[in-house]
Amino acid sequence: MPPMTQSIAIALVSGGLDSMVSAARAREDGHRLLALSIDYNQRHKVELDAAAKIAALLGAERHVVLPLDLRAFGGSALTADIDVPKTGVGSDIPITYVPARNTIFLSLALGWAEAAGARDLYIGVNALDYSGYPDCRPEFIAGFEKLAELATKAGVEGAPFRIQAPLQNMSKADIVREAARLGLDAGMSWSCYDPTPEGLHCGLCDSCRLRARGFEEAGLPDPTRYAVHP
């Protein structure tokens, strides 16, 4: 790992494998780490417990869990009383898409970045093995970076922000391998959208299926405890 610098990065840490690897990359890049998690009253709120463990593991100087109740808006199986689909990953944008979630989350991270003097924001989106969410695409990341330049005092004064999406072009198998390269315990992360009462990954939602396939294709053991193996 490069020697630590005085630069600060804000890492969005949901508790999932992708955000875990993304935040670890921020640390590897030599940044001091500030971790931001959003408690949006999501169905899989257990992921926030994983986020706290990940932030501690990575040595985050602060871990802010910001409450923002998106159930007030609904519109997603993660924020409304709508069943999580469990029939397999389809070609359409699924009902687990939370309206404008990454736009909202990056906006909050941007506010903290400007207040803290950070210029780098890390987010664990990827555009290969994902559920078709529009706010995981490279066009979105590039567009938000331009927005950040236009919308902030720092950007207007010539200190633009960089939206770092180090997993952007990785498959889920690539991300699993990257976690192993970084020495991370992938079992600390949480992916399932619909946890069982016993605290297991359901094994059937899109996120569980993508996670399991990633470990299988990477040829690495899957530490996840599934109620039903995908």
Side-chain angles (χ1 to χ4, degrees):
M1 187 171 71
M4 293 294 285
T5 69
Q6 292 303 302
S7 62
I8 303 170
I10 308 294
L12 281 164
V13 179
S14 68
L17 179 62
D18 295 355
S19 72
M20 181 189 201
V21 174
S22 175
R25 285 284 297 268
R27 188 185 65 172
E28 185 180 55
D29 290 345
H31 299 292
R32 294 162 52 197
L33 190 63
L34 300 178
L36 177 62
S37 304
I38 311 299
D39 179 357
Y40 60 100
N41 209 356
Q42 58 269 51
R43 177 189 295 265
H44 55 311
K45 209 166 183 174
V46 64
E47 71 174 358
L48 294 174
D49 296 332
K53 294 173 185 174
I54 291 166
L57 173 74
L58 296 178
E61 295 183 14
R62 285 190 66 195
H63 177 214
V64 171
V65 180
L66 199 66
L68 181 70
D69 188 0
L70 293 183
R71 288 189 72 88
F73 297 162
S76 166
L78 304 189
T79 57
D81 294 326
I82 302 170
D83 289 340
V84 172
K86 297 189 178 181
T87 56
V89 181
S91 57
D92 296 330
I93 298 173
I95 194 61
T96 51
Y97 164 71
V98 178
R101 178 173 59 181
N102 285 342
T103 307
I104 295 166
F105 288 4
L106 276 173
S107 296
L108 295 169
L110 177 62
W112 191 11
E114 187 166 32
R119 289 295 171 266
D120 293 275
L121 286 70
Y122 280 72
I123 183 169
V125 297
N126 72 90
L128 295 182
D129 284 350
Y130 73 118
S131 293
Y133 301 151
D135 51 2
C136 288
R137 297 174 300 160
E139 302 95 312
F140 166 72
I141 296 299
F144 193 92
E145 189 171 84
K146 181 62 177 176
L147 171 69
E149 180 181 348
L150 296 172
T152 59
K153 178 177 182 289
V156 169
E157 292 180 348
F161 296 89
R162 292 173 292 271
I163 311 301
Q164 306 280 12
L167 317 185
Q168 186 76 80
N169 297 310
M170 290 186 182
S171 68
K172 190 63 75 174
D174 292 333
I175 295 166
V176 168
R177 294 188 193 100
E178 184 72 348
R181 183 190 71 80
L182 291 163
L184 301 174
D185 176 6
M188 291 179 61
S189 65
W190 185 273
S191 297
C192 181
Y193 290 149
D194 194 22
T196 71
E198 297 77 27
L200 303 177
H201 282 63
C202 75
L204 297 176
C205 69
D206 288 2
S207 190
C208 280
R209 291 175 190 268
L210 289 170
R211 180 184 177 104
R213 189 174 74 192
F215 280 98
E216 181 180 355
E217 292 179 354
L220 293 171
D222 186 349
T224 313
R225 296 169 60 235
Y226 298 103
V228 177
H229 200 281

